[in-house]
Amino acid sequence: MEAPVNNTLQLFKNLVGTKFQLYNSLFTALPFHKVERTGVFLSLFLIHCEEGYGKEKSPQEILNSYFEQYTSCSNEQQKLDLMFRFVQYAERQVVLFDALEDAAFRDIHDMYGTGSLSHLQSEVIAEQAEEKLAKKLQDFSVRLVLTAHPTQFYPGSVLTIINDLSRALINDNTAQVNSYLQQLGKTPFFKKEKPTPYDEAISLIWFLENTFYPAAGRIISKLKAQFPASINSSNPVIRMGFWPGGDRDGNPFVNADITLRVAEALRGGIIKCYYLDVRRLKRRLTFKGIEQELAALEQQLYSNLFIPGHKTNITQQEILDTLARIRIVLIEENNALFLNLLDDLASRVELFGLFFATLDIRQDSSVHGPLLDAVAANSDLLPSNYATLSDEEKINSLLNIKGALNPDVLKEPLHKDTLATIAAVKEIQQNNGEFGCHRYIISHSMNALNVIEVYGLFLLAGWQKETLSVDIVPLFETIDDLRQAGNVMRELYDNAAYREHLRKRYNKQTIMLGFSDGTKDGGYLMANWSIHKAKQELTRISREYDIDVVFFDGRGGPPARGGGKTHQFYASMGRDIANEEIQLTIQGQTISSNFGTVDSAQFNIEQLVHAGIANEIFSSREVTLTDEEDALLQQLADEGFKSFNKLKLHPDFLDYLDFASPLRYYAETNIGSRPSKRNAAAKLSLNDLRAVPYVGAWSQLKQNVPGYYGVGAALEAMDKAGKWSEVEKLYKNSLFFRTLLDNCQMAMKKSYFPLTAAYGKHPRFGEVWNMIHDEYERSCEYILRLTGQTQLMSASPIDQLSIQMRERIVLPLLTIQQGALARIRELNEAGNGNGLKETYEKLVVRCSFGIINAGRNSA
């Protein structure tokens, strides 16, 4: 994947580390109030923090001694002013570091090395696996689904500056860099109002247009050039998915109207891309018999974009037919000049159609039951006693619905909107094509009835069984739900009506598996292992029924939510797990950090494509777990779960997180339209608390509990049971186990316990802090022993150095945030803040921006 480590590490130091120091000096010219002194003061403060934590001082003690020794601040307001300037300065340092890493991406990563398509080509030739590859590519694809989960603290204007700044840095254009840094100084980082779901969609469409469109186009062209006989034009290897505007689980601001508007924006976005490409083609294809065709296509695309009422006047096939006619003339009469440009556009049209990305609909299962009860109470389409029927009787009633419901009989706005959304799916398919919107995902699926309820709702909304062009996707998340998933799917496969529906959907069943709630529920090891086991079981059952099962992984950015180096997880899947397609969510920071430039998007998509193909076609790579390995992993997961459960069930666990972290302030960051809790009125509970604020709060505490807790306890238990040699053998032979431990090292590397060490002596929360700290130390000790490393992540020195540099940039912000939280508690106890409390709360929120952004996959 990377060039020789020593070379790339030195490159990283030169292109990122040294340049950061160089360009950081330009910050002294930024248009801040007293900025010259701010830069000097911040450098001193960083050193003071490092020395203070080395002497086991608390954040409050470090802040107090700093103000006393290095500033002339005579009152609290002056101290606050300086801290806000530190925040403003540091968050822009993070932007600079992001831009430098983006600019250096191509130099640091080998775009043609391990995991790339170029590498795949050489492997296929070496192993004479051309036939196997052709077979695999008939139905294999990677679907990246962009979600609106709010882990991205940069507003769109700042993301654009990062993009432009990266280009200026690549070209070493110091004057431009200086201008962009000055622009950053004047550009607000804080959103005064929450974005709407439509705002979120427009922000992500920018990435579709500017990174995924060119990157995916490059990859498809590359595949066609390398393996022309293997590509199936009716099965694009890359698909994009989209959740903003369709994901209404716990988001009251998403409705049917928003869904339709987002679908229209997606259609407009891809037509704009085609329009611009056609205009570029016109500059090259200036030949007789082609000019007129291109001009007519350009006009058609223009009309669709800018003239109301024209949006249905063009189809994907019409565009492809036009390009096919031009291709013939180009080959027969013009020596195939610039044929590659024309073929590139045709590949993109095959890939993105008129939908750009498939808009998924998602809703929680708890919404559908009450809606159907209301249907039964207000119409004769369901039995009047529906609410009291058994699950089996309800399923029979739903499968025998005759006729559509008049939505006017429903009283609840949510019920009306749910039916309106299902009706909207049909309209989107008419305008954007079937791939525009063809999946309905059910969160918290617990039984077969949850799936059939949605099937029944489509019938109530006027869809016919014979033409129901929608896939119903259960989402299993908690440990219990994952364990029951096999039984649920078996019941569905045994149901004749549902089986007939699957037959019409090409005998393919998509099942979504969620990491975030699993980690929250069962801890790091158990969540990952439960998903792995569920995939094994679901694959076995689906094959038994001749159903092609497709797994859709709900992954977040950090290891705590299934993130980290995700391509390694897919490379580690054995033959007992279906991998016809790789589908995963890409959310928040992961979109901008892993797919924020065309180079990084291409690199990371290629890694996923390679991971999904390699195991299948290269028989020498057997990664299926043996029975002994399976049993050992189960024991490790059980021990990890036991350890995590003790912490989770501690009466002060959640209160400690609320007390010590900025958890309660997440809703005030205005980074996403979704509330931070599912049930806003209820007391704080793990079940209602969303994974993003939960994981993000641990990240800002620098304790990262969901990303490793229980790993040390599990390894220690195996050691004490005399099974250490078996664990060593497992680590050596299992890529799945190695990936688990590699990823949790990332979560641990981003931990910093001196920040919160004072809580270890707290009369109420000391026990929880010490449990977490002890498990961190235990995990460190055993992971280093197992891997033979002297430091966490030393096998990935570039990532290790990047994290170290980023954590150093935000250490002042962490200190300020913890100091501000302590001051808020003091003011609460005093009962009279005189407006100071609100200011400190604002300071806590502002610190979150830089801390989370610096982590790149922290929430």
Side-chain angles (χ1 to χ4, degrees), residues 277-293:
D277 271 358
V278 168
R279 285 178 64 88
R280 290 185 197 103
L281 266 179
K282 278 180 68 185
R283 296 176 65 170
R284 299 280 79 86
L285 305 188
T286 51
F287 316 130
K288 185 181 174 187
I290 290 177
E291 267 190 311
Q292 300 88 335
E293 287 268 26

Side-chain angles (χ1 to χ4, degrees), residues 147 149 243 246-251 360-370 418 439-454 457 471-478 481-482 488 510-517 520 552 554 585 587 674 678 687 690-691:
T147 81
H149 288 55
W243 274 19
D247 178 14
R248 57 248 303 129
D249 174 14
N251 191 339
D360 287 339
I361 306 299
R362 183 171 79 130
Q363 182 56 284
D364 193 271
S365 61
S366 62
V367 169
H368 305 131
T418 302
R439 308 203 301 189
Y440 194 111
I441 298 161
I442 311 160
S443 299
H444 290 110
S445 290
M446 293 177 283
N447 50 47
L449 175 60
N450 289 157
V451 174
I452 301 300
E453 282 173 336
V454 171
L457 286 170
D471 300 314
I472 302 171
V473 181
L475 165 52
F476 302 106
E477 297 176 274
T478 66
D481 289 349
L482 288 164
V488 172
T510 302
I511 300 173
M512 188 172 180
L513 303 165
F515 279 79
S516 300
D517 279 350
K520 212 170 58 167
F552 175 21
T585 53
Q587 39 186 277
R674 183 191 303 277
R678 283 191 172 90
N687 192 42
R690 289 202 166 273

Side-chain angles (χ1 to χ4, degrees), residues 725-842:
S725 60
E726 293 174 42
V727 173
E728 288 179 318
K729 188 179 170 188
L730 179 68
Y731 182 76
K732 181 184 174 187
N733 294 335
S734 168
L735 178 59
F736 173 75
F737 186 49
R738 283 201 304 280
T739 302
L740 268 183
L741 293 192
D742 285 351
N743 272 355
C744 86
Q745 286 183 64
M746 186 191 297
M748 295 171 73
K749 192 69 183 174
K750 293 179 180 181
S751 298
Y752 185 68
F753 279 85
L755 177 72
T756 54
Y759 295 135
K761 300 185 183 77
H762 191 277
R764 180 180 172 195
F765 297 118
E767 189 177 355
V768 173
W769 188 92
N770 282 296
M771 284 175 74
I772 295 167
H773 181 248
D774 290 349
E775 179 58 16
Y776 172 83
E777 293 288 336
R778 188 182 297 114
S779 299
C780 270
E781 177 193 337
Y782 275 98
I783 285 173
L784 294 179
R785 178 180 163 192
L786 183 59
T787 60
Q789 298 170 183
T790 54
Q791 289 182 321
L792 292 171
M793 289 189 73
S794 56
S796 305
I798 292 171
D799 291 339
Q800 182 192 52
L801 183 57
S802 172
I803 289 170
Q804 284 172 350
M805 294 179 74
R806 287 173 173 277
E807 293 299 311
R808 196 162 186 263
I809 292 170
V810 297
L811 186 59
L813 300 188
L814 292 162
T815 306
I816 290 169
Q817 186 180 67
Q818 278 298 316
L821 286 167
R823 186 71 180 113
I824 290 166
R825 291 194 293 267
E826 286 175 4
L827 292 167
N828 281 338
E829 284 172 21
N832 181 14
N834 290 329
L836 275 175
K837 181 186 168 187
E838 289 74 16
T839 308
Y840 275 107
E841 287 177 332
K842 190 184 291 186

Side-chain angles (χ1 to χ4, degrees), residues 1-5 8-9 108-111 113-115 565 603 607 795-799:
M1 189 173 74
E2 293 171 355
V5 168
T8 49
L9 187 59
I108 292 165
H109 295 81
D110 185 354
M111 303 294 286
T114 306
K565 297 183 182 300
F603 179 85
Q607 292 287 319
S796 305
I798 292 171
D799 291 339

Side-chain angles (χ1 to χ4, degrees), residues 611-744:
I613 288 174
N615 290 348
E616 183 104 354
I617 65 172
F618 303 129
S619 53
S620 59
R621 300 186 198 169
E622 184 53 69
V623 293
T624 309
L625 294 167
T626 65
D627 291 345
E628 292 78 13
E629 289 170 338
D630 196 291
L632 187 57
L633 276 161
Q634 184 65 56
Q635 285 179 282
L636 284 160
D638 288 340
E639 291 294 341
F641 181 61
K642 196 190 301 179
S643 171
F644 177 73
N645 235 18
K646 274 185 197 164
L647 177 69
K648 185 181 83 171
L649 298 176
H650 191 289
D652 294 328
F653 172 64
L654 212 50
D655 285 343
Y656 164 71
L657 182 64
D658 191 37
F659 170 85
S661 80
L663 176 65
R664 66 181 62 193
Y665 299 105
Y666 250 83
E668 295 170 34
T669 56
N670 291 332
I671 55 167
S673 65
R674 183 191 303 277
S676 57
K677 284 166 59 182
R678 283 191 172 90
N679 184 350
K683 184 181 183 292
L684 187 63
S685 75
L686 260 185
N687 192 42
D688 287 335
L689 186 59
R690 289 202 166 273
V692 169
Y694 174 73
V695 173
W698 285 116
S699 170
Q700 289 180 77
L701 259 185
K702 290 297 156 189
Q703 293 182 336
N704 286 322
V705 163
Y708 66 84
Y709 200 96
V711 171
L715 292 173
E716 182 181 61
M718 295 302 102
D719 188 21
K720 287 180 176 175
K723 296 186 176 181
W724 188 252
S725 60
E726 293 174 42
V727 173
E728 288 179 318
K729 188 179 170 188
L730 179 68
Y731 182 76
K732 181 184 174 187
N733 294 335
S734 168
L735 178 59
F736 173 75
F737 186 49
R738 283 201 304 280
T739 302
L740 268 183
L741 293 192
D742 285 351
N743 272 355
C744 86

Side-chain angles (χ1 to χ4, degrees), residues 11-174:
L11 264 175
F12 184 88
K13 287 176 179 175
N14 293 341
L15 295 175
V16 181
T18 304
K19 280 192 174 183
F20 177 73
Q21 299 302 328
L22 179 69
Y23 285 113
N24 192 31
S25 63
L26 286 176
F27 273 92
T28 56
L30 288 179
F32 296 154
H33 172 57
K34 298 180 182 175
V35 71
E36 300 84 4
R37 293 170 60 198
T38 303
V40 174
F41 280 147
L42 183 57
S43 299
L44 281 171
F45 183 50
L46 171 59
I47 295 165
H48 192 73
C49 288
E50 290 173 327
E51 290 175 349
Y53 290 123
K55 294 173 184 173
E56 299 185 359
K57 290 188 174 179
S58 70
Q60 301 95 296
E61 290 170 330
I62 290 170
L63 282 163
N64 291 337
S65 59
Y66 174 77
F67 284 121
E68 201 174 299
Q69 291 175 39
Y70 296 105
T71 75
S72 56
C73 296
S74 57
N75 59 50
E76 196 159 7
Q77 190 56 54
Q78 289 177 343
K79 292 175 184 177
L80 278 163
D81 287 345
L82 184 58
M83 286 191 284
F84 272 110
R85 291 212 303 277
F86 282 172
V87 172
Q88 195 178 26
Y89 197 101
E91 63 190 3
R92 283 155 177 80
Q93 286 181 313
V94 174
V95 169
L96 174 61
F97 199 88
D98 282 352
L100 282 164
E101 281 202 329
D102 287 348
F105 190 92
R106 183 170 274 270
D107 296 295
I108 292 165
H109 295 81
D110 185 354
M111 303 294 286
Y112 306 99
T114 306
S116 68
L117 292 183
S118 300
H119 182 240
L120 179 68
Q121 183 182 29
S122 61
E123 289 178 299
V124 167
I125 292 167
E127 297 208 19
Q128 298 183 321
E130 288 88 345
E131 279 188 35
K132 286 184 179 178
L133 178 69
K135 186 181 176 195
K136 178 69 178 171
L137 289 178
Q138 287 307 296
D139 55 12
F140 173 77
S141 68
V142 169
R143 187 188 298 218
L144 304 173
V145 182
L146 308 186
T147 81
H149 288 55
T151 62
Q152 178 53 265
F153 280 68
Y154 292 133
S157 53
V158 174
L159 285 170
T160 307
I161 296 170
I162 294 175
N163 194 273
D164 295 342
L165 185 56
S166 297
R167 289 182 194 168
L169 289 164
I170 289 170
N171 299 321
D172 278 324
N173 189 329
T174 307

